[in-house]
Amino acid sequence: MDERDLVKASKKGDDGALAALFQGSYPFLLKYLLKLTFNLENAEDLAQETYSKAIENLSRFKGASKFSTWLIPLQPIYIWIRNGNRSENSPG
């Protein structure tokens, strides 16, 4: 199944398709979050929160972008960083 088919199936309640979407986008999402947090545990926690938001908002995904790209605005990362939760070892 391609991404478009996985999204359609996920919207219809297919948990296997949703899991496949998440597995396919996880490396991209985790790498992105690691670049922002500099901490694997925090990046994994934020990825989990992002996927939770994705489940809540899946009906809003229109397919104009890749699923992994659509996940970016769902992330609570900017609030998290603004609140001072970035690793002490991070630059800036």
Coordinates of all heavy atoms in Angstrom, one line a residue:
M1 N 0.8 -1.2 0.0 CA 0.0 0.0 0.0 C 0.9 1.2 0.0 O 1.8 1.3 0.8 CB -0.8 0.0 1.3 CG -2.3 -0.3 1.1 SD -3.2 0.1 2.7 CE -4.2 -1.4 2.7
D2 N 0.5 2.2 -0.8 CA 1.3 3.5 -0.8 C 0.7 4.4 0.3 O -0.3 4.0 1.0 CB 1.3 4.2 -2.1 CG -0.1 4.8 -2.5 OD1 -1.1 4.7 -1.8 OD2 -0.2 5.3 -3.7
E3 N 1.3 5.5 0.6 CA 0.9 6.4 1.7 C -0.5 6.8 1.6 O -1.3 6.9 2.5 CB 1.9 7.6 1.8 CG 1.6 8.5 2.9 CD 2.6 9.6 3.0 OE1 2.3 10.7 2.4 OE2 3.6 9.4 3.7
R4 N -0.9 7.2 0.4 CA -2.3 7.6 0.1 C -3.3 6.6 0.5 O -4.3 6.9 1.2 CB -2.5 8.0 -1.3 CG -3.8 8.8 -1.6 CD -3.8 9.3 -3.0 NE -2.7 10.3 -3.1 CZ -2.2 10.7 -4.3 NH1 -2.6 10.2 -5.4 NH2 -1.2 11.6 -4.3
D5 N -3.0 5.3 0.2 CA -3.9 4.2 0.5 C -3.9 4.0 2.0 O -5.0 3.7 2.6 CB -3.5 3.0 -0.2 CG -3.8 3.0 -1.7 OD1 -4.7 3.8 -2.1 OD2 -3.0 2.3 -2.4
L6 N -2.7 4.1 2.7 CA -2.7 3.9 4.1 C -3.5 5.0 4.8 O -4.1 4.7 5.8 CB -1.2 4.0 4.6 CG -0.3 2.8 4.2 CD1 1.1 3.1 4.5 CD2 -0.8 1.5 4.9
V7 N -3.4 6.2 4.4 CA -4.2 7.3 5.0 C -5.7 7.0 4.9 O -6.4 7.1 5.9 CB -3.8 8.7 4.4 CG1 -4.8 9.7 4.8 CG2 -2.4 9.1 4.7
K8 N -6.1 6.6 3.7 CA -7.6 6.3 3.5 C -8.0 5.2 4.4 O -9.0 5.3 5.0 CB -7.8 6.0 2.0 CG -7.8 7.1 1.1 CD -8.0 6.6 -0.3 CE -7.9 7.8 -1.3 NZ -8.1 7.3 -2.7
A9 N -7.2 4.2 4.5 CA -7.6 3.0 5.3 C -7.5 3.4 6.8 O -8.4 3.0 7.6 CB -6.6 1.9 5.1
S10 N -6.6 4.3 7.2 CA -6.5 4.7 8.6 C -7.7 5.5 9.0 O -8.2 5.4 10.1 CB -5.2 5.6 8.8 OG -4.1 4.8 8.6
K11 N -8.2 6.4 8.1 CA -9.3 7.2 8.3 C -10.6 6.3 8.5 O -11.5 6.7 9.2 CB -9.5 8.2 7.2 CG -8.6 9.3 7.2 CD -8.9 10.3 6.1 CE -8.0 11.6 6.2 NZ -8.3 12.5 5.1
K12 N -10.6 5.1 7.9 CA -11.7 4.2 8.0 C -11.6 3.3 9.2 O -12.4 2.4 9.4 CB -11.8 3.4 6.8 CG -12.2 4.2 5.6 CD -12.3 3.3 4.3 CE -12.7 4.1 3.1 NZ -12.7 3.3 1.9
G13 N -10.5 3.5 10.0 CA -10.3 2.7 11.3 C -9.4 1.6 11.2 O -9.4 0.7 12.1
D14 N -8.6 1.4 10.1 CA -7.7 0.3 10.0 C -6.5 0.6 10.8 O -5.6 1.4 10.4 CB -7.3 0.2 8.5 CG -6.4 -1.0 8.2 OD1 -5.7 -1.5 9.1 OD2 -6.5 -1.5 7.1
D15 N -6.4 -0.1 12.0 CA -5.2 0.1 12.9 C -3.9 -0.3 12.3 O -2.9 0.3 12.5 CB -5.5 -0.6 14.2 CG -6.6 0.0 15.0 OD1 -6.9 1.2 14.8 OD2 -7.2 -0.8 15.9
G16 N -3.9 -1.3 11.4 CA -2.7 -1.8 10.8 C -2.2 -0.7 9.8 O -1.0 -0.5 9.7
A17 N -3.1 -0.1 9.1 CA -2.6 1.0 8.2 C -2.1 2.2 9.0 O -1.1 2.8 8.6 CB -3.8 1.4 7.3
L18 N -2.7 2.5 10.1 CA -2.2 3.6 10.9 C -0.8 3.3 11.5 O 0.1 4.1 11.4 CB -3.2 3.9 12.1 CG -2.9 5.1 12.9 CD1 -2.9 6.4 12.1 CD2 -3.9 5.1 14.1
A19 N -0.7 2.0 11.9 CA 0.7 1.6 12.4 C 1.7 1.7 11.3 O 2.8 2.2 11.5 CB 0.6 0.2 12.9
A20 N 1.3 1.3 10.1 CA 2.3 1.4 8.9 C 2.6 2.9 8.6 O 3.8 3.2 8.3 CB 1.7 0.7 7.7
L21 N 1.6 3.8 8.7 CA 1.9 5.2 8.5 C 2.9 5.7 9.5 O 3.8 6.4 9.2 CB 0.6 6.0 8.6 CG -0.2 6.3 7.4 CD1 -1.5 7.0 7.8 CD2 0.6 7.1 6.4
F22 N 2.7 5.3 10.8 CA 3.5 5.8 11.9 C 4.9 5.2 11.7 O 5.9 5.9 11.9 CB 2.9 5.4 13.2 CG 1.8 6.3 13.6 CD1 1.3 7.3 12.8 CD2 1.1 6.0 14.9 CE1 0.2 8.1 13.2 CE2 0.1 6.8 15.3 CZ -0.4 7.8 14.5
Q23 N 5.0 3.9 11.4 CA 6.3 3.3 11.2 C 7.1 4.0 10.1 O 8.3 4.1 10.1 CB 6.2 1.8 11.0 CG 5.8 1.1 12.2 CD 5.5 -0.4 11.9 OE1 5.4 -0.8 10.8 NE2 5.3 -1.2 13.0
G24 N 6.4 4.3 9.0 CA 7.1 4.9 7.9 C 7.5 6.3 8.1 O 8.5 6.8 7.6
S25 N 6.9 7.1 9.0 CA 7.2 8.4 9.3 C 8.1 8.6 10.5 O 8.7 9.7 10.7 CB 5.9 9.3 9.4 OG 5.2 8.8 10.5
Y26 N 8.2 7.6 11.3 CA 8.9 7.7 12.6 C 10.4 8.1 12.4 O 10.9 9.0 13.1 CB 8.8 6.4 13.4 CG 9.4 6.5 14.8 CD1 8.7 7.2 15.8 CD2 10.6 6.0 15.1 CE1 9.1 7.4 17.1 CE2 11.1 6.1 16.4 CZ 10.4 6.8 17.4 OH 10.9 7.0 18.6
P27 N 11.2 7.5 11.5 CA 12.6 7.9 11.4 C 12.7 9.4 11.1 O 13.5 10.1 11.7 CB 13.1 7.1 10.2 CG 12.2 5.9 10.2 CD 10.9 6.4 10.6
F28 N 11.9 9.9 10.2 CA 11.9 11.3 9.8 C 11.6 12.2 11.0 O 12.3 13.2 11.4 CB 10.9 11.6 8.7 CG 10.6 13.1 8.5 CD1 11.5 13.8 7.7 CD2 9.5 13.7 9.0 CE1 11.3 15.2 7.5 CE2 9.3 15.0 8.8 CZ 10.2 15.8 8.0
L29 N 10.5 11.8 11.7 CA 10.0 12.6 12.9 C 11.0 12.6 14.0 O 11.4 13.6 14.6 CB 8.7 12.1 13.4 CG 8.1 12.7 14.6 CD1 7.8 14.2 14.3 CD2 6.8 12.0 15.0
L30 N 11.6 11.4 14.3 CA 12.5 11.3 15.4 C 13.8 12.1 15.1 O 14.3 12.8 16.0 CB 12.9 9.9 15.7 CG 13.8 9.7 16.9 CD1 13.1 10.1 18.2 CD2 14.2 8.2 17.0
K31 N 14.3 12.0 13.9 CA 15.5 12.8 13.5 C 15.2 14.3 13.6 O 16.1 15.0 14.1 CB 15.9 12.4 12.0 CG 17.1 13.1 11.5 CD 17.5 12.6 10.1 CE 18.7 13.3 9.6 NZ 19.0 12.9 8.2
Y32 N 14.1 14.7 13.2 CA 13.7 16.1 13.3 C 13.7 16.6 14.7 O 14.2 17.6 15.1 CB 12.4 16.3 12.6 CG 11.8 17.7 12.7 CD1 12.3 18.7 11.8 CD2 10.9 18.1 13.7 CE1 11.8 20.0 11.9 CE2 10.4 19.4 13.7 CZ 10.9 20.4 12.9 OH 10.4 21.6 13.0
L33 N 13.1 15.8 15.6 CA 13.0 16.1 17.0 C 14.3 16.1 17.7 O 14.6 16.9 18.6 CB 11.9 15.2 17.7 CG 10.5 15.5 17.2 CD1 9.6 14.4 17.7 CD2 10.0 16.8 17.7
L34 N 15.1 15.1 17.3 CA 16.5 15.1 17.9 C 17.3 16.3 17.6 O 18.0 16.8 18.4 CB 17.2 13.8 17.4 CG 17.0 12.6 18.2 CD1 17.6 11.4 17.4 CD2 17.5 12.6 19.6
K35 N 17.1 16.9 16.4 CA 17.8 18.1 16.0 C 17.4 19.3 16.9 O 18.1 20.2 17.1 CB 17.6 18.4 14.6 CG 18.4 17.5 13.6 CD 18.1 17.9 12.2 CE 18.9 17.0 11.2 NZ 18.7 17.4 9.8
L36 N 16.1 19.2 17.3 CA 15.6 20.3 18.1 C 15.9 20.2 19.6 O 16.0 21.2 20.3 CB 14.1 20.5 17.9 CG 13.7 20.9 16.5 CD1 12.2 20.9 16.3 CD2 14.3 22.3 16.1
T37 N 15.8 18.9 20.1 CA 15.9 18.7 21.5 C 17.3 18.3 22.0 O 17.7 18.4 23.2 CB 15.0 17.6 22.0 OG1 15.3 16.4 21.4 CG2 13.5 18.0 21.7
F38 N 18.1 17.7 21.1 CA 19.4 17.1 21.5 C 19.3 16.1 22.6 O 20.3 15.9 23.3 CB 20.4 18.2 21.9 CG 20.6 19.3 20.8 CD1 19.9 20.4 20.8 CD2 21.6 19.0 19.9 CE1 20.1 21.4 19.8 CE2 21.8 20.0 18.9 CZ 21.1 21.2 18.9
N39 N 18.2 15.4 22.6 CA 18.0 14.4 23.7 C 17.0 13.3 23.2 O 15.9 13.6 22.9 CB 17.4 15.1 24.9 CG 17.2 14.2 26.1 OD1 16.3 13.3 26.0 ND2 17.9 14.4 27.2
L40 N 17.5 12.1 23.1 CA 16.7 11.0 22.6 C 15.4 10.8 23.3 O 14.4 10.6 22.8 CB 17.6 9.7 22.5 CG 16.9 8.5 21.9 CD1 16.4 8.7 20.5 CD2 17.8 7.3 22.0
E41 N 15.5 10.7 24.6 CA 14.3 10.4 25.5 C 13.3 11.5 25.2 O 12.1 11.2 25.1 CB 14.7 10.4 26.9 CG 13.5 10.0 27.8 CD 13.9 9.8 29.3 OE1 15.1 9.5 29.6 OE2 13.1 10.1 30.1
N42 N 13.7 12.8 25.2 CA 12.7 13.9 25.0 C 12.2 13.8 23.6 O 11.0 14.0 23.4 CB 13.4 15.2 25.3 CG 13.7 15.4 26.7 OD1 13.1 14.9 27.6 ND2 14.7 16.3 27.0
A43 N 13.0 13.5 22.6 CA 12.5 13.4 21.2 C 11.5 12.2 21.1 O 10.5 12.4 20.4 CB 13.7 13.1 20.3
E44 N 11.7 11.1 21.8 CA 10.8 10.0 21.7 C 9.5 10.4 22.4 O 8.4 10.0 21.9 CB 11.4 8.8 22.4 CG 12.5 8.2 21.6 CD 13.3 7.1 22.3 OE1 13.3 7.0 23.6 OE2 13.9 6.2 21.6
D45 N 9.6 11.1 23.5 CA 8.3 11.5 24.2 C 7.5 12.5 23.3 O 6.3 12.4 23.2 CB 8.6 12.2 25.5 CG 9.1 11.3 26.6 OD1 9.0 10.0 26.4 OD2 9.7 11.8 27.6
L46 N 8.2 13.4 22.7 CA 7.5 14.3 21.8 C 7.0 13.6 20.5 O 5.9 14.0 20.1 CB 8.5 15.5 21.4 CG 8.8 16.4 22.5 CD1 10.0 17.3 22.1 CD2 7.6 17.3 22.8
A47 N 7.7 12.6 20.0 CA 7.1 11.9 18.9 C 5.8 11.2 19.3 O 4.8 11.2 18.6 CB 8.1 10.8 18.4
Q48 N 5.8 10.6 20.5 CA 4.6 10.0 21.0 C 3.4 11.0 21.1 O 2.3 10.7 20.7 CB 4.8 9.3 22.3 CG 3.6 8.5 22.9 CD 3.9 7.8 24.1 OE1 5.1 7.7 24.6 NE2 2.9 7.2 24.7
E49 N 3.7 12.1 21.6 CA 2.7 13.2 21.7 C 2.2 13.6 20.3 O 1.0 13.9 20.1 CB 3.2 14.4 22.5 CG 3.4 14.1 24.0 CD 4.0 15.4 24.7 OE1 3.6 16.5 24.3 OE2 4.8 15.2 25.5
T50 N 3.1 13.7 19.4 CA 2.8 14.1 18.0 C 1.9 13.1 17.4 O 0.9 13.4 16.8 CB 4.1 14.3 17.2 OG1 4.9 15.3 17.8 CG2 3.7 14.7 15.8
Y51 N 2.2 11.8 17.6 CA 1.3 10.8 17.0 C -0.1 10.8 17.7 O -1.1 10.5 17.0 CB 2.0 9.4 17.1 CG 3.1 9.2 16.1 CD1 4.3 8.8 16.4 CD2 2.8 9.5 14.7 CE1 5.3 8.6 15.5 CE2 3.8 9.4 13.8 CZ 5.1 8.9 14.2 OH 6.0 8.8 13.2
S52 N -0.1 11.1 18.9 CA -1.4 11.2 19.6 C -2.2 12.3 19.0 O -3.4 12.1 18.7 CB -1.2 11.5 21.1 OG -2.4 11.6 21.7
K53 N -1.6 13.4 18.7 CA -2.3 14.6 18.0 C -2.7 14.1 16.6 O -3.7 14.5 16.1 CB -1.4 15.8 17.9 CG -1.1 16.4 19.3 CD -1.8 17.6 19.4 CE -1.4 18.3 20.7 NZ -2.5 18.9 21.4
A54 N -1.8 13.4 15.9 CA -2.1 12.9 14.6 C -3.4 12.1 14.6 O -4.2 12.2 13.7 CB -1.0 12.1 14.0
I55 N -3.6 11.2 15.5 CA -4.8 10.4 15.6 C -6.0 11.2 15.8 O -7.0 11.1 15.1 CB -4.6 9.3 16.8 CG1 -3.6 8.3 16.4 CG2 -6.0 8.7 17.0 CD1 -3.2 7.4 17.6
E56 N -5.9 12.2 16.7 CA -7.0 13.1 16.9 C -7.4 13.9 15.7 O -8.5 14.3 15.5 CB -6.6 14.1 18.1 CG -6.5 13.5 19.4 CD -5.9 14.5 20.4 OE1 -6.0 15.7 20.2 OE2 -5.4 14.0 21.5
N57 N -6.4 14.3 14.9 CA -6.6 15.2 13.7 C -6.5 14.5 12.4 O -6.5 15.2 11.4 CB -5.6 16.3 13.8 CG -5.8 17.2 15.0 OD1 -6.7 18.0 15.0 ND2 -4.9 17.1 16.0
L58 N -6.5 13.2 12.3 CA -6.3 12.5 11.1 C -7.4 12.9 10.0 O -7.1 13.0 8.8 CB -6.3 11.0 11.3 CG -6.0 10.1 10.1 CD1 -4.6 10.5 9.6 CD2 -6.0 8.6 10.5
S59 N -8.6 13.1 10.4 CA -9.6 13.5 9.5 C -9.3 14.8 8.8 O -9.8 15.1 7.7 CB -11.0 13.6 10.2 OG -11.0 14.7 11.1
R60 N -8.4 15.6 9.3 CA -8.1 16.9 8.7 C -7.0 16.8 7.7 O -6.7 17.7 6.9 CB -7.6 17.9 9.8 CG -8.7 18.3 10.7 CD -8.2 19.2 11.8 NE -9.2 19.6 12.7 CZ -9.1 20.5 13.6 NH1 -8.0 21.2 13.7 NH2 -10.1 20.8 14.4
F61 N -6.3 15.6 7.6 CA -5.2 15.4 6.7 C -5.8 15.3 5.3 O -6.6 14.4 5.0 CB -4.4 14.2 7.0 CG -3.3 14.0 6.0 CD1 -2.2 14.9 5.9 CD2 -3.2 12.8 5.3 CE1 -1.2 14.7 5.0 CE2 -2.2 12.6 4.4 CZ -1.2 13.5 4.2
K62 N -5.5 16.2 4.4 CA -6.1 16.2 3.0 C -5.2 15.6 2.0 O -5.6 15.4 0.8 CB -6.4 17.6 2.6 CG -7.3 18.4 3.6 CD -8.6 17.7 3.7 CE -9.5 18.5 4.7 NZ -10.6 17.7 5.3
G63 N -3.9 15.3 2.3 CA -3.0 14.6 1.4 C -2.3 15.6 0.5 O -1.7 15.2 -0.5
A64 N -2.3 16.9 0.8 CA -1.6 17.9 0.0 C -0.1 17.8 0.2 O 0.7 18.3 -0.6 CB -2.1 19.3 0.3
S65 N 0.3 17.2 1.2 CA 1.7 17.0 1.5 C 2.0 15.5 2.0 O 1.0 14.8 2.1 CB 2.2 17.9 2.7 OG 1.5 17.5 3.9
K66 N 3.2 15.2 2.2 CA 3.5 13.8 2.7 C 3.0 13.8 4.2 O 2.9 14.8 4.8 CB 5.0 13.6 2.7 CG 5.6 13.4 1.3 CD 7.1 13.1 1.4 CE 7.3 11.7 2.1 NZ 8.7 11.3 2.1
F67 N 2.6 12.6 4.6 CA 2.1 12.5 6.0 C 3.1 12.9 7.0 O 2.8 13.7 7.9 CB 1.7 11.0 6.2 CG 1.2 10.7 7.6 CD1 -0.1 11.1 7.9 CD2 1.9 10.2 8.6 CE1 -0.7 10.9 9.1 CE2 1.4 10.0 9.9 CZ 0.1 10.3 10.1
S68 N 4.4 12.6 6.8 CA 5.4 13.0 7.7 C 5.6 14.5 7.8 O 5.8 15.1 8.9 CB 6.8 12.4 7.4 OG 7.2 12.7 6.1
T69 N 5.4 15.2 6.7 CA 5.5 16.7 6.7 C 4.3 17.3 7.4 O 4.4 18.3 8.1 CB 5.5 17.2 5.2 OG1 6.6 16.6 4.5 CG2 5.6 18.7 5.2
W70 N 3.1 16.7 7.3 CA 1.9 17.1 8.0 C 2.1 17.0 9.5 O 1.4 17.8 10.2 CB 0.7 16.3 7.5 CG -0.6 16.6 8.1 CD1 -1.4 17.7 7.9 CD2 -1.2 15.8 9.1 NE1 -2.5 17.6 8.7 CE2 -2.4 16.4 9.5 CE3 -0.9 14.5 9.7 CZ2 -3.3 15.9 10.4 CZ3 -1.8 14.0 10.6 CH2 -3.0 14.7 11.0
L71 N 2.9 16.1 10.0 CA 3.1 15.9 11.4 C 3.8 17.1 12.1 O 3.5 17.4 13.2 CB 3.9 14.7 11.7 CG 3.3 13.3 11.3 CD1 4.3 12.2 11.5 CD2 2.1 13.1 12.2
I72 N 4.6 17.8 11.3 CA 5.4 18.9 11.9 C 4.6 19.9 12.7 O 4.9 20.2 13.8 CB 6.3 19.6 10.8 CG1 7.2 18.6 10.2 CG2 7.1 20.8 11.4 CD1 8.2 17.9 11.1
P73 N 3.5 20.5 12.1 CA 2.8 21.5 12.8 C 2.0 21.0 14.0 O 1.5 21.7 14.9 CB 1.8 22.1 11.8 CG 2.2 21.6 10.5 CD 3.1 20.4 10.7
L74 N 1.9 19.7 14.1 CA 1.1 19.0 15.2 C 2.0 18.9 16.4 O 1.5 18.7 17.5 CB 0.7 17.6 14.8 CG -0.3 17.5 13.7 CD1 -0.6 16.1 13.4 CD2 -1.6 18.2 14.0
Q75 N 3.3 19.1 16.3 CA 4.2 18.8 17.4 C 4.2 19.9 18.4 O 4.1 21.1 18.1 CB 5.6 18.8 16.8 CG 5.8 17.6 15.9 CD 7.2 17.6 15.2 OE1 8.1 18.3 15.7 NE2 7.3 17.0 14.1
P76 N 4.2 19.5 19.7 CA 4.2 20.5 20.8 C 5.7 21.0 21.0 O 5.9 21.7 22.0 CB 3.7 19.7 22.0 CG 4.1 18.3 21.7 CD 4.1 18.2 20.1
I77 N 6.6 20.8 20.1 CA 8.0 21.1 20.3 C 8.3 22.5 20.6 O 9.1 22.9 21.4 CB 8.8 20.5 19.1 CG1 10.3 20.7 19.4 CG2 8.5 21.2 17.8 CD1 10.9 19.9 20.5
Y78 N 7.6 23.4 19.8 CA 8.0 24.8 20.0 C 7.6 25.4 21.4 O 8.4 26.1 22.0 CB 7.3 25.6 18.9 CG 7.8 25.2 17.5 CD1 7.1 24.4 16.7 CD2 9.1 25.5 17.2 CE1 7.6 24.0 15.5 CE2 9.7 25.0 16.0 CZ 8.9 24.3 15.1 OH 9.4 23.8 13.9
I79 N 6.5 24.9 21.9 CA 6.1 25.3 23.3 C 7.0 24.7 24.3 O 7.5 25.3 25.2 CB 4.6 24.9 23.6 CG1 3.7 25.6 22.7 CG2 4.3 25.1 25.0 CD1 2.3 25.1 22.7
W80 N 7.4 23.4 24.0 CA 8.3 22.7 24.9 C 9.7 23.4 25.0 O 10.2 23.6 26.1 CB 8.4 21.3 24.3 CG 9.2 20.3 25.1 CD1 8.8 19.6 26.2 CD2 10.6 20.0 24.9 NE1 9.8 18.9 26.7 CE2 10.9 19.1 25.9 CE3 11.6 20.4 24.0 CZ2 12.2 18.5 26.0 CZ3 12.8 19.8 24.1 CH2 13.1 18.9 25.1
I81 N 10.2 23.8 23.8 CA 11.5 24.5 23.8 C 11.4 25.9 24.5 O 12.2 26.3 25.3 CB 12.1 24.6 22.4 CG1 12.5 23.2 21.9 CG2 13.2 25.6 22.3 CD1 12.9 23.2 20.5
R82 N 10.3 26.6 24.1 CA 10.1 27.9 24.7 C 10.1 27.9 26.2 O 10.5 28.8 26.9 CB 8.9 28.5 24.1 CG 8.7 30.0 24.5 CD 7.5 30.7 23.8 NE 6.3 30.0 24.1 CZ 5.4 29.7 23.2 NH1 5.5 30.0 22.0 NH2 4.3 29.0 23.6
N83 N 9.6 26.8 26.8 CA 9.4 26.7 28.2 C 10.8 26.2 28.9 O 10.8 25.9 30.1 CB 8.3 25.7 28.6 CG 7.0 26.3 28.3 OD1 6.8 27.5 28.2 ND2 6.0 25.4 28.1
G84 N 11.8 26.2 28.1 CA 13.2 25.9 28.7 C 13.5 24.5 28.9 O 14.4 24.1 29.7
N85 N 12.9 23.6 28.1 CA 13.1 22.1 28.3 C 14.2 21.6 27.4 O 14.4 20.4 27.3 CB 11.8 21.4 28.0 CG 10.8 21.7 29.1 OD1 11.1 21.6 30.3 ND2 9.6 22.0 28.7
R86 N 14.9 22.5 26.7 CA 16.0 22.0 25.8 C 17.2 21.5 26.6 O 17.4 22.1 27.7 CB 16.4 23.1 24.9 CG 17.1 22.7 23.6 CD 17.1 23.8 22.6 NE 17.7 23.3 21.4 CZ 17.8 24.0 20.3 NH1 17.4 25.2 20.3 NH2 18.4 23.5 19.3
S87 N 17.9 20.6 26.2 CA 19.0 20.0 26.9 C 20.0 21.1 27.2 O 20.3 22.0 26.5 CB 19.7 19.0 26.0 OG 20.9 18.6 26.6
E88 N 20.7 21.0 28.4 CA 21.7 21.9 28.8 C 22.9 21.9 27.8 O 23.7 22.8 27.8 CB 22.2 21.6 30.2 CG 21.2 21.8 31.3 CD 20.3 20.5 31.5 OE1 20.8 19.4 31.2 OE2 19.1 20.7 31.8
N89 N 23.1 20.8 27.1 CA 24.2 20.7 26.2 C 23.9 21.2 24.9 O 24.8 21.2 24.0 CB 24.6 19.2 26.1 CG 25.0 18.6 27.4 OD1 25.6 19.3 28.2 ND2 24.7 17.3 27.6
S90 N 22.7 21.8 24.7 CA 22.4 22.3 23.3 C 22.9 23.7 23.1 O 23.1 24.4 24.1 CB 20.9 22.3 23.1 OG 20.3 23.2 24.0
P91 N 23.2 24.0 21.9 CA 23.8 25.4 21.6 C 22.6 26.4 21.8 O 21.5 26.1 21.6 CB 24.2 25.3 20.2 CG 23.5 24.1 19.6 CD 23.2 23.2 20.7
G92 N 23.0 27.6 22.0 CA 22.0 28.7 22.1 C 21.4 28.7 23.4 O 20.5 29.3 23.8

